[in-house]
Amino acid sequence: MNFSDSEIVASILTDEGFEACLDLLEADIVLLNTCSIREHAEDRVRKRLHYFRSLKKKKPGLTIGLLGCMAERTKIALMEEEQLLDIIAGPDSYRHLPGLLEQAGSGQKAIDTILSADETYADIHPVRLDSNGVSAYISIMRGCENFCSYCVVPYARGQERSRDPGSVIREAKDLFIQGYREVTLLGQNVNSYQWKEGKETVNFPGLLERMAILDSQLRVRFATSHPKDLSDEVIEIIAKYPNICKAIHLPVQSGSNAVLDKMNRKYTREEYLGRIRAIRNNIPGCAISTDIITGFCGETEEDHQQTLGLMKEAAFDFAFTFKYSERPKTIAAEQFDDNVPAEVKESRLREIIGLQQELSSSSNHRDLGETFEVLIEGESKRSDKQYFGRNSQNKVVVFPKTVQKPGEYVKVTIKRATSATLIGEAI
Ligand code: 5AD
Ligand code: SF4
């Protein structure tokens, strides 16, 4: 999400005549896009600001701005604390950056953290940063109103709003013409995407279908799905179109009903496993990944065991795992006690990571001997004689170079596997 926001900022500023530079030491303006999701993310920003302080000492005219969620969450307080900051701009204020830069240029501190009910940056053509020219992100909605009790996003990114489907399709078409072959539709909860077009309403399966029929050579991915909103209709559309990737990211967070209820996730363990069954039954070979938080307020050993049990039952192909980190203003911070000791969070996380490694490894070993269509992304980091790409399941596949170029598809048979990578040969 943040990466996609940086591309929007780059576009707005490029249109105003600013130029991105590759070397930080050459920059006259440094804008730091920030995340607030866990305390660790904010700690990293503070460290980075520390480094910027030394840059500013050497170059007093340097303008430094803080963008995104941490800017939104901390507003003026952070500017008072971190005197080096000239600009603070929240996630809905990027259009005002040229004005804020002008204000900062005249020596005044500039702040804009007003959240909007309708800003989607639909008309902005993102400048693709750090691009491999093959895969790109398209933001289809902003904000979130689910208010999971641990999560800062609804406060930092505001109300949920969907983007005009016409502008999403246009962006995808442009990317395809430029040679991109994979787009990932992004939103906090893409399944609740909704856009009223006259009498017609475009929902997420509708948008997915419009994307899928653009060109069979364009792969479509999406993230993230909230389990409560992953409908049978979405599953049907994924199954129907070969170019909609067979990979679903479905954050479960916990396997215990007591914890899920306290997290305000609005589904039970049984309902979640029901969705997993629906995916497995209707989309053969679909990869399922998840997010798990360990050590949430009041989580018992029994709850933790339920999470481990669910992981095995769901047989996740991949998981992002986190220790619970209390975030200011959230329901959990205001109402619950962050009472799982740090060392218990640590040891539970280790167990979860260990189990996921086993699950990922078995998932990859099941692919031995299988042949996948792989979209080549570039040269492998380890060897210039090898390519790397991804299969539809979003697994990284490494194989000896072929005559094809990045951005082209090649069929690869899997010969070896680790828990992170599939190694194969093109056929
Ligand atoms: N502490 C730990 N992890 C969190 N996440 C969101 N908020 C928190 C928090 N306060 C995790 C969730 C979410 C992912 C993007 O980040 O697992 O799905
Ligand atoms: Fe946060 Fe829940 Fe919204 Fe995801 S769905 S962004 S976890 S509030």
Side-chain angles (χ1 to χ4, degrees):
M1 222 69 71
N2 259 17
F3 188 72
S4 161
D5 270 22
S6 294
E7 295 187 328
I8 289 168
V9 169
S11 166
I12 291 170
L13 294 181
T14 308
D15 282 354
E16 288 290 317
F18 292 91
E19 244 178 85
C21 62
L22 292 173
D23 185 354
L24 184 58
L25 297 176
E26 279 176 15
D28 300 313
I29 299 165
V30 178
L31 300 174
L32 186 61
N33 196 0
T34 60
C35 168
S36 278
I37 197 107
R38 284 168 291 276
E39 201 175 357
H40 177 64
E42 291 200 354
D43 290 344
R44 282 177 49 202
V45 171
R46 299 240 181 211
K47 277 206 192 106
R48 199 78 183 134
L49 289 179
H50 198 76
Y51 170 60
F52 291 169
R53 200 166 292 133
S54 65
L55 289 184
K56 199 157 179 164
K57 266 201 195 119
K58 284 186 213 137
K59 195 173 181 180
L62 186 68
T63 300
I64 298 184
L66 192 83
L67 314 184
C69 293
M70 189 171 171
E72 188 62 52
R73 199 185 72 67
T74 52
K75 299 189 168 66
I76 196 159
L78 192 70
M79 197 170 239
E80 282 165 359
E81 240 174 82
E82 304 277 0
Q83 285 294 324
L84 86 159
L85 289 174
D86 303 294
I87 295 173
I88 294 229
D92 289 342
S93 310
Y94 301 147
R95 280 183 207 271
H96 303 149
L97 273 172
L100 295 172
L101 280 164
E102 205 176 300
Q103 195 178 330
S106 67
Q108 270 175 286
K109 301 260 180 197
I111 294 200
D112 188 338
T113 54
I114 296 170
L115 285 173
S116 152
D118 50 21
E119 177 63 274
T120 58
Y121 300 109
D123 56 319
I124 308 270
H125 298 283
V127 168
R128 302 293 160 185
L129 299 168
D130 196 22
S131 164
N132 59 5
V134 177
S135 50
Y137 294 111
I138 302 183
S139 169
I140 62 163
M141 56 198 299
R142 298 180 71 83
C144 180
E145 284 165 28
N146 282 317
F147 289 94
C148 300
S149 64
Y150 50 81
C151 185
V152 77
V153 168
Y155 309 92
R157 298 186 76 88
Q159 269 170 270
E160 182 181 295
R161 63 221 104 120
S162 298
R163 177 178 162 188
D164 171 2
S167 74
V168 174
I169 300 291
R170 270 195 300 281
E171 193 172 327
K173 274 189 185 158
D174 280 353
L175 285 165
F176 189 77
I177 290 166
Q178 287 169 48
Y180 286 83
R181 290 294 175 264
E182 185 177 273
V183 293
T184 304
L185 306 180
L186 285 183
Q188 304 294 345
N189 180 14
V190 288
N191 297 98
S192 62
Y193 175 91
Q194 202 155 42
W195 179 267
K196 279 212 161 42
E197 229 173 23
K199 277 192 198 131
E200 199 199 345
T201 299
V202 182
N203 60 7
F204 185 59
L207 180 69
L208 255 189
E209 189 154 33
R210 285 193 191 189
M211 292 291 298
I213 57 180
L214 277 181
D215 197 300
S216 63
Q217 293 295 296
L218 181 69
R219 274 184 175 178
V220 184
R221 299 187 185 279
F222 57 91
T224 294
S225 295
H226 193 303
K228 76 176 166 59
D229 299 318
L230 183 79
S231 63
D232 289 342
E233 202 186 346
V234 172
I235 295 177
E236 254 168 54
I237 296 288
I238 301 171
K240 183 169 164 193
Y241 292 96
N243 60 329
I244 302 184
C245 288
K246 307 297 176 257
I248 300 183
H249 186 59
L250 201 64
V252 66
Q253 314 298 0
S254 168
S256 147
N257 280 336
V259 176
L260 286 172
D261 185 46
K262 212 164 169 180
M263 286 178 162
N264 194 27
R265 289 290 289 175
K266 304 185 186 88
Y267 55 83
T268 61
R269 171 194 178 89
E270 293 71 26
E271 283 162 348
Y272 183 88
L273 287 169
R275 292 291 75 199
I276 299 282
R277 264 195 305 281
I279 297 170
R280 299 255 185 251
N281 290 341
N282 293 289
I283 318 176
C286 187
I288 304 178
S289 56
T290 199
D291 292 348
I292 295 173
I293 300 178
T294 190
F296 187 58
C297 313
E299 184 191 72
T300 62
E301 180 57 31
E302 165 74 33
D303 294 323
H304 170 59
Q305 291 302 326
Q306 297 250 327
T307 298
L308 295 172
L310 180 136
M311 288 171 70
K312 286 184 207 154
E313 220 172 313
F316 293 121
D317 298 274
F318 187 81
F320 296 97
T321 54
F322 312 102
K323 279 185 277 186
Y324 170 59
S325 159
E326 187 177 87
R327 307 310 295 129
K329 256 174 110 179
T330 56
I331 299 158
E334 311 252 299
Q335 296 180 13
F336 311 138
D337 198 7
D338 179 12
N339 57 359
V340 177
E343 60 279 11
V344 176
K345 282 184 186 169
E346 188 63 51
S347 77
R348 286 181 188 167
L349 183 67
R350 267 202 306 274
E351 257 187 276
I352 286 173
I353 292 174
L355 172 58
Q356 187 53 50
Q357 259 168 0
E358 283 172 30
L359 295 173
S360 299
S361 174
S362 352
S363 155
N364 282 357
H365 281 90
R366 276 196 299 275
D367 293 338
L368 290 177
E370 297 281 334
T371 299
F372 294 105
E373 183 162 73
V374 173
L375 175 60
I376 308 172
E377 288 185 28
E379 211 166 73
S380 147
K381 279 183 204 103
R382 296 229 177 119
S383 157
D384 61 3
K385 295 192 175 53
Q386 295 198 311
Y387 273 147
F388 88 96
R390 276 164 210 274
N391 64 5
S392 174
Q393 288 72 6
N394 211 16
K395 291 185 181 178
V396 173
V397 183
V398 176
F399 56 98
K401 276 187 179 171
T402 54
V403 290
Q404 283 94 341
K405 299 269 169 309
E408 292 180 2
Y409 292 95
V410 60
K411 288 219 158 51
V412 178
T413 303
I414 307 306
K415 305 282 179 186
R416 285 192 298 128
T418 68
S419 63
T421 313
L422 299 177
I423 300 132
E425 275 168 27
I427 55 167

